[in-house]
């Protein structure tokens, strides 16, 4: 077996031991630190493609800002001629991985530094900078970054790439932009990152950087149903660019599915058109080839909000037996829908009290009285709240930021709800369920709540059959329209947020309204203008 194949076998063994040890110590630690090792086959694909972008006579200064045990470095040694590799520099913040990697690659030209790459000082001379950067940066969500570290990252991104990143940006986007200072002119960079930046709001600044500061060459998006990582639920993409300002006529290749070297679909798009495209993941989908411009969207007809977040569902959401056991006053209890998996029907009827007729009945505890008023007027409720205090629930983030800590968000019942997350397989399956709610039950944040705007609400109140008709129209929205506005993660997990749902076309509903016999809107253009907010 060739020398570097033997080293790769040893690296895989080390990687497995380190990952297992971390999981045994703290199963969630690797997730918080964003440590997801690149599979060998994928690393080889990326370096093989990189070789097609590097002139054969160019000496390589290699850089990996998130080295791990060295999956990309191992592939580099097996793909490129050894006499073409002039230097190799890696950064690794975790001493466990860095020490093992140093020992493994001790006989090679690797310079591996135990340091946070975002705090390292880049070289100033062009010949000392990298002309080939390959990286799988840590996938750390913004809420795991301290305010101080996030402020540091923002300063570094601005200094390196003249880019101000959104506060919701994950660590991987900071790595991408901060590395700009480390690149030699015309350097090639390949980034294995989550594809979500292509669709979400915080990715806008990253996309601006890719379109203006460098020449974006290609983005390959892997099929979300074919996850590249066994230990991460994330849809992956490989972003390639050259460190050179783009020409006015520059075009970008988008590929999808299959492998990096043998994609299922490919298309090329001019950067001026790309800059006007909100969701880049739609570029390689069949439905995106000739997009239509809807006259209205759901946001013209509905106020869409996430359901409420209690901060302690196990305390604030109670089954009837627990309500009885604690003798909680009915006036502080609001019916609330169970998780979608407990709903056997997408149509929820109400009993004479307005409570939902569902198998799993639940009630939300909420109260606006002060603690003194509760203690004096409702001793049973006070006893239960004291139980919550002993559990330190009042110190949890959401509870601590409410006054009083047991008062919930204002989320009245809505006639329509949409699940915000799910999986769908098959041509007729949908990851999102549209639910008709005839009860007075509110909902948690696993639902999106659709509140009809005033003109539409008036129509629904006057016409008893309109509610069912509108529900049917909402349920019949084509699947691809919903998924095109949302985002997809590894394993086919779809998510959609309120603004994304609001951006879904609603032309079918507009046609229904225009054809309605309702005297207030029939042949009444002004009424339609008010209704659709043109």
């Amino acid at each position: 077996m060739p020398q570097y194949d033997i080293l790769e076998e040893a690296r895989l063994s080390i990687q497995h031991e380190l990952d297992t040890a971390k999981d045994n110590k703290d199963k969630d630690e690797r997730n918080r630190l964003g440590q997801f090792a690149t599979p060998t086959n994928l690393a080889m694909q990326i370096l093989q493609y990189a070789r097609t972008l590097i002139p054969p006579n160019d000496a390589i200064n290699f850089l990996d800002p998130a080295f791990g045990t060295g999956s990309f470095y191992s592939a580099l040694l097996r793909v490129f001629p050894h006499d073409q590799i002039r230097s190799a520099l890696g950064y690794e913040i975790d001493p466990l991985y860095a020490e093992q990697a140093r020992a493994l690659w001790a006989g090679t030209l690797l310079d591996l530094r135990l340091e946070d790459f975002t705090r390292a000082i880049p070289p100033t001379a062009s010949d000392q900078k990298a002309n080939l950067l390959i990286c799988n940066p840590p996938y750390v969500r913004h809420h795991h970054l301290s305010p101080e570290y996030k402020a540091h990252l923002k300063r570094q991104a601005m200094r390196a790439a003249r880019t101000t990143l959104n506060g919701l940006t994950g660590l991987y986007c900071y790595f991408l932009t901060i590395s700009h200072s480390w690149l030699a002119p015309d350097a090639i960079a390949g980034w294995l990152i989550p594809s979500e930046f292509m669709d979400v709001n915080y990715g806008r600044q990253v996309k601006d950087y890719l379109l203006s500061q460098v020449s974006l060459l290609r983005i390959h998006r892997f099929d979300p149903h074919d996850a590249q990582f066994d230990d991460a639920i994330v849809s992956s993409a490989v972003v390639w660019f050259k460190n050179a300002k783009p020409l006015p006529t520059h075009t970008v290749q988008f590929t999808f599915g299959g492998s990096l070297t043998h994609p299922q679909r490919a298309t090329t798009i001019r950067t001026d058109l790309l800059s006007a495209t909100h969701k880049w993941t739609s570029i390689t989908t069949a439905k995106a080839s000739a997009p239509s411009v809807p006259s209205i969207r759901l946001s013209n007809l509905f106020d869409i909000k996430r359901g409420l977040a209690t901060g302690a569902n196990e305390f604030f959401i109670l089954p009837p037996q627990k309500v009885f056991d604690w003798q909680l006053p009915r006036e502080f209890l609001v019916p609330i829908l169970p998780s979608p998996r407990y709903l056997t029907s997408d149509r929820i009827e109400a009993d004479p009290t307005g409570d939902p007729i569902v198998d799993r009945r639940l009630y939300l505890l909420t109260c606006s009285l002060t603690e003194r008023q509760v203690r004096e007027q409702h001793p049973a409720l006070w006893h239960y709240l004291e139980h919550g205090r002993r559990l330190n629930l009042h110190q949890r983030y959401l509870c601590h930021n409410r006054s009083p800590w047991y008062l919930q968000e204002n989320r009245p019942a809505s006639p329509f709800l949409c699940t915000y997350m799910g999986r769908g397989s098959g041509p007729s399956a949908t990851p999102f369920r549209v639910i008709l709610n005839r009860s007075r039950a509110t909902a948690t944040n696993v639902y999106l709540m659709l509140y009809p705007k005033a003109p539409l609400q008036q129509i629904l109140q006057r016409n008893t059959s309109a509610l069912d008709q509108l529900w049917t129209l909402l349920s019949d929205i084509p699947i691809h329209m919903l998924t095109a506005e949302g985002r997809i993660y590894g394993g086919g997990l779809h998510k959609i947020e309120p603004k994304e749902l609001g951006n879904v076309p609603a032309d079918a509903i507009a046609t229904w309204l225009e054809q309605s016999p309702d005297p207030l809107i029939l042949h009444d253009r002004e009424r339609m203008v008010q209704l659709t907010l043109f």
Side-chain angles (χ1 to χ4, degrees):
M1 182 181 294
Q3 175 190 1
Y4 292 116
D5 288 347
I6 296 174
L7 286 172
E8 173 61 12
E9 290 293 327
R11 188 195 69 80
L12 288 173
S13 177
I14 292 170
Q15 185 77 53
H16 176 72
E17 291 176 5
L18 290 172
D19 290 348
T20 301
K22 275 186 171 287
D23 287 344
N24 290 337
K25 180 182 178 181
D26 184 349
K27 193 172 182 179
D28 296 327
E29 183 180 20
R30 280 201 301 128
N31 284 344
R32 291 195 302 270
L33 297 177
Q35 296 173 317
F36 302 107
T38 308
T40 298
N41 289 339
L42 180 54
M44 286 293 290
Q45 287 182 44
I46 290 173
L47 268 297
Q48 286 165 354
Y49 186 76
R51 188 174 180 182
T52 68
L53 302 175
I54 299 288
N57 296 326
D58 283 7
I60 292 174
N61 291 335
F62 175 78
L63 171 64
D64 184 348
F67 193 82
T69 59
S71 58
F72 289 132
Y73 181 61
S74 177
L76 175 81
L77 296 177
R78 286 177 292 152
V79 170
F80 281 85
H82 296 167
D83 58 1
Q84 191 179 358
I85 304 172
R86 180 166 57 193
S87 68
L89 175 62
Y91 282 86
E92 175 53 48
I93 196 173
D94 191 323
L96 292 177
Y97 290 86
E99 290 169 6
Q100 293 275 22
R102 277 176 173 169
L104 176 66
W105 303 111
T108 70
L109 48 67
L110 174 68
D111 177 7
L112 180 56
R113 302 176 185 179
L114 177 58
E115 188 178 352
D116 179 355
F117 172 74
T118 72
R119 298 185 185 277
I121 299 175
T124 55
S126 294
D127 61 351
Q128 294 179 352
K129 295 190 176 188
N131 64 348
L132 177 59
L133 182 153
I134 305 292
C135 186
N136 170 14
Y139 181 50
V140 181
R141 298 225 179 233
H142 73 95
H143 50 267
H144 291 311
L145 304 174
S146 69
E148 296 77 16
Y149 189 46
K150 192 179 292 188
H152 157 74
L153 293 170
K154 286 187 173 184
R155 288 194 300 270
Q156 292 297 91
M158 171 56 73
R159 183 177 297 117
R162 299 191 296 277
T163 300
T164 302
L165 295 181
N166 186 291
L168 302 181
T169 302
L171 183 57
Y172 72 96
C173 296
Y174 289 106
F175 262 68
L176 189 150
T177 49
I178 289 172
S179 71
H180 189 83
S181 296
W182 294 74
L183 298 176
D186 295 325
I188 296 297
W191 290 88
L192 174 60
I193 58 178
S195 62
E196 64 183 32
F197 86 92
M198 300 166 71
D199 291 345
V200 296
N201 287 334
Y202 75 73
R204 181 175 59 82
Q205 293 88 349
V206 178
K207 291 187 287 188
D208 288 344
Y209 164 78
L210 294 174
L211 292 175
S212 62
Q213 301 297 319
V214 296
S215 293
L216 182 59
L217 303 176
R218 178 186 176 189
I219 295 181
H220 176 79
R221 186 166 68 95
F222 293 98
D223 189 330
H225 295 90
D226 182 20
Q228 300 301 302
F229 298 88
D230 294 332
D231 50 358
I233 302 178
V234 62
S235 176
S236 304
V238 184
V239 178
W240 295 97
F241 61 81
K242 176 187 285 191
N243 184 26
K245 292 284 187 178
L247 297 173
T249 58
H250 185 68
T251 59
V252 181
Q253 184 184 42
F254 277 77
T255 55
F256 173 81
S259 66
L260 184 64
T261 51
H262 295 89
Q264 293 175 352
R265 295 200 294 270
T267 188
T268 301
I269 184 172
R270 297 199 317 268
T271 52
D272 59 335
L273 296 177
L274 185 56
S275 63
T277 304
H278 176 59
K279 287 184 177 286
W280 286 9
T281 58
S282 67
I283 292 171
T284 51
T285 62
K287 299 293 183 181
S289 57
S292 60
V293 179
S295 58
I296 66 167
R297 301 180 183 274
L298 289 181
S299 60
N300 298 126
L301 303 171
F302 299 92
D303 290 318
I304 304 175
K305 298 181 180 181
R306 281 287 289 273
L308 57 88
T310 70
N313 285 357
E314 70 280 8
F315 180 80
F316 290 112
I317 298 179
L318 306 91
Q321 185 61 51
K322 193 171 183 179
V323 171
F324 177 80
D325 292 343
W326 287 90
Q327 294 296 296
L328 297 177
R330 178 77 181 189
E331 63 192 281
F332 303 119
L333 298 171
V334 177
I336 190 168
L337 295 176
S339 171
R341 67 177 179 273
Y342 295 112
L343 294 182
T344 57
S345 172
D346 290 342
R347 183 189 184 98
I348 300 172
E349 300 292 349
D351 66 14
T353 69
D355 285 8
I357 302 176
V358 292
D359 293 337
R360 187 182 178 91
R361 294 206 175 194
L362 296 170
Y363 294 92
L364 172 72
L365 174 64
T366 181
C367 177
S368 62
L369 298 180
T370 65
E371 291 191 346
R372 178 177 179 179
Q373 289 173 317
V374 173
R375 184 173 62 249
E376 293 176 351
Q377 301 172 24
H378 303 280
L381 175 58
W382 175 252
H383 183 51
Y384 186 67
L385 294 179
E386 283 289 280
H387 169 63
R389 277 188 168 274
R390 287 192 294 272
L391 297 174
N392 288 321
L393 299 184
H394 64 298
Q395 294 295 341
R396 291 190 181 181
Y397 179 79
L398 290 179
C399 301
H400 180 70
N401 286 279
R402 296 195 299 246
S403 181
W405 63 272
Y406 42 82
L407 176 64
Q408 307 299 331
E409 300 174 86
N410 180 31
R411 288 292 186 276
S414 64
F416 307 105
L417 304 106
C418 179
T419 56
Y420 98 103
M421 179 174 64
R423 302 179 190 274
S425 59
S428 61
T430 177
F432 307 115
R433 298 167 61 184
V434 179
I435 295 164
L436 174 63
N437 178 26
R438 290 183 173 275
S439 75
R440 63 185 185 95
T442 187
T444 63
N445 56 0
V446 297
Y447 295 95
L448 304 185
M449 307 181 75
L450 286 75
Y451 297 95
K453 292 188 175 181
L456 181 58
Q457 179 62 25
Q458 294 172 16
I459 294 171
L460 296 176
Q461 289 173 345
R462 289 193 307 274
N463 186 344
T464 57
S465 65
L467 196 68
D468 287 273
Q469 295 170 12
L470 185 51
W471 175 47
T472 299
L473 290 168
L474 288 169
S475 302
D476 288 345
I477 292 175
I479 299 168
H480 71 86
M481 288 186 178
L482 294 169
T483 56
E485 294 301 333
R487 73 284 305 266
I488 185 169
Y489 297 84
L493 179 67
H494 291 266
K495 290 184 180 179
I496 191 166
E497 298 292 346
K499 287 185 179 179
E500 294 169 335
L501 181 60
N503 204 40
V504 170
D507 287 334
I509 298 176
T511 300
W512 169 70
L513 289 169
E514 290 171 343
Q515 296 173 350
S516 170
D518 190 304
L520 285 181
I521 63 172
L522 184 62
H523 305 307
D524 187 348
R525 181 61 185 170
E526 291 184 1
R527 187 67 177 173
M528 284 300 298
V529 168
Q530 180 186 3
L531 179 61
T532 59
L533 305 182
F534 287 148

